Structure formats: structure tokens, C-alpha cells
Amino acid sequence: MTLPSIPLAGVIGNPIAHSKSPVLHGHWLKTYDIAGHYVPLEVEADALGDVLRAMPKMGFVGCNVTIPHKERVMQFVDQITDRATLIGAVNTLIFLNDGSILGDNTDGYGFIENLRQGAPEWDASAGPAVVLGAGGAARAVVASLLDAGAPEILLTNRTRVRADKLREDFGARVKVVEWVQAGNILEEGATLVNTTSLGMTGKSELRVPMDGLRKETVVTDLVYSPLTTNFLRTANEIGCVTVDGLGMLLHQAVPGFERWFGRRPVVDDETRRVVLG
């Protein structure tokens, strides 16, 4: 009698010890009584290709990819989804039965689902979205906001050239504003998003004047350590609906888990509690 194989998945990064993904996926595997394992894998950049080719032979059905490999991994995939191509990064790999690798990016999905869960009345089409930052996370956010119906993105970044590149890639609905003018555009936004690492534990604070922010604006921060950043605290005091960044991490994991383990997990209060420890 042949015993059924136990599916393996994991997360590849460097460093990886800080990742909350093993706790998250481990919780879902236990909750749904699924025989499977999810492990952290610290992989050097020059070993990435060898590791990916070996993983299916070891019983892996897929994996997540995190910093610093999200762009580099694209050279090793056989198929890539449209949204991953648009964002220019891959965070989810599926090892297909024919031995090929499919690359996807679920960060934008996670961002939108987190907003919808944390601010049920939120409507992308209600007005422009102000996006602070133009790094990899911003690309996922801008792509998903445009897809969800935001009429315009007002984009600002400390380094202008990165913002200009993003506008070039995403088109006329993205308007670049100088970083020193960031405080002046907040009143135009129906949605305000911080995609920078400013305000994160151990990083500098986000110093954008927020006195122009309207209480009708939905405000979210991709930072989740601390869970309530000073940026969100200020928005709360103004009266805005605010959404913390933890839910994006949780929701972006849903499509991968479903593909690998055959069950669509639910992001609920218990999931948040477990991941926060």
C-alpha cells in the first residue's frame, strides 16, 4: 500500500527567522486538520535556482518568496501571472504536476482584502488615493487600487525618480507629487496609504504634516510593527477609519494556502491573535 504524500510548503528569504508566515500557515494547517508542513528556508541569492529546482523533488508543492528574492525569483519561473508581471515581483510559487513553476503576486490582493475587511464601507472609486512611497510594496498597492477603480493615484516618494518610474509603468492615472508637498495633497485623498517603512519599529518616523487630512478619508499603513503606528494614531485622532498592516500579511497568504493544501482559509480574529503571539 502506498501512503499518501504529505504536502510541504515554506517561505524563502534571507534573513527569514523573523517571518510570521510559518506561524500563520501552521495555525491554518492545525485549524483545518490538514496533514502538511510549512517551513522557513533561509536561502542565499546565488543558491536560489538550485533550491527551487530541488524543492519539488523533496515533496514541496509551492512556497512564498520574501525579501530579498521577490524580483530575482522571476528568472526561475516557467509561467507568471499578469498581476505579478505588472508588479514586477513574485511572492507565491506553485510547483505544477508537470514539473514547471508558476509565479504569482498576491500582495495587491492581500492589501485590498485587508481594506475591505477593516473598512467595510471603503470604496476605491470614491476619490483619489494618496500613496506614500514608491518601492516594491507601492507597486502592488498602486496596481490593486487602479484595478479596484481608484480614479487617480497621487504618488509621492522621497526619491522622485522611483515615483516617476512607477508613473511610467502604470500610466496617466498616476500623478507624481514632490515629497515636500505630501502634506498638501492629503485633503484630496479618499484613501491614504503609507507603503514606506517609516514608522516601523527601529526606523525613523514618517514626518508628513497631517493637519490637512479629512475625517472621511480611509487610512491604512503597511507597517504592522508596531500594530498602531503614529501615522494611524494621528489619523484616528482626526476621526478617520484606519486599517493596520497586519491584515495584508494575513490575506496575501490565502491564495497560496488554498493552492497548496486544497482549503481556502479564513482570516478571522483568532488568526490575528495567533500571529501576534
Side-chain angles (χ1 to χ4, degrees), residues 73-213:
V73 77
M74 293 174 76
Q75 64 188 271
F76 302 110
V77 303
D78 302 294
Q79 302 173 50
I80 188 164
T81 63
D82 290 344
R83 61 186 178 183
T85 302
L86 187 64
I87 293 165
V90 161
N91 76 334
T92 303
L93 297 178
I94 295 118
F95 301 141
L96 302 172
N97 292 335
D98 63 3
S100 64
I101 302 175
L102 171 66
D104 193 9
N105 191 306
T106 63
D107 284 333
Y109 167 86
F111 169 74
I112 293 292
E113 289 303 305
N114 184 40
L115 262 181
R116 286 176 173 154
Q117 185 174 48
E121 303 297 311
W122 176 76
D123 176 9
S125 65
V130 176
V131 176
L132 309 177
R139 293 185 70 86
V141 166
V142 168
S144 61
L145 283 170
L146 291 173
D147 190 52
E152 185 179 42
I153 307 286
L154 302 176
L155 179 71
T156 182
N157 190 55
R158 287 175 292 177
T159 311
R160 167 86 191 219
V161 67
R162 294 193 75 173
D164 284 339
K165 177 70 172 80
L166 215 144
R167 179 183 56 77
E168 190 181 305
D169 291 346
F170 286 95
R173 281 160 69 197
V174 177
K175 178 183 171 188
V176 176
V177 179
E178 294 291 347
W179 184 254
V180 292
Q181 298 295 325
N184 298 336
I185 57 173
L186 299 191
E187 64 183 357
E188 298 180 49
T191 310
L192 170 61
V193 189
N194 174 38
T195 74
T196 76
S197 60
L198 296 172
M200 186 187 289
T201 304
K203 300 274 187 179
S204 304
E205 280 300 329
L206 175 60
R207 304 198 188 282
V208 171
M210 293 179 68
D211 37 340
L213 185 62

Side-chain angles (χ1 to χ4, degrees), residues 27-61:
H27 165 68
W28 283 336
L29 287 167
K30 185 178 174 186
T31 299
Y32 302 117
D33 196 25
I34 294 169
H37 297 285
Y38 185 100
V39 294
L41 301 162
E42 187 160 315
V43 177
E44 298 285 346
D46 58 5
L48 190 57
D50 290 339
V51 168
L52 290 173
R53 281 186 285 273
M55 287 174 74
K57 299 169 189 170
M58 298 161 62
F60 280 86
V61 291

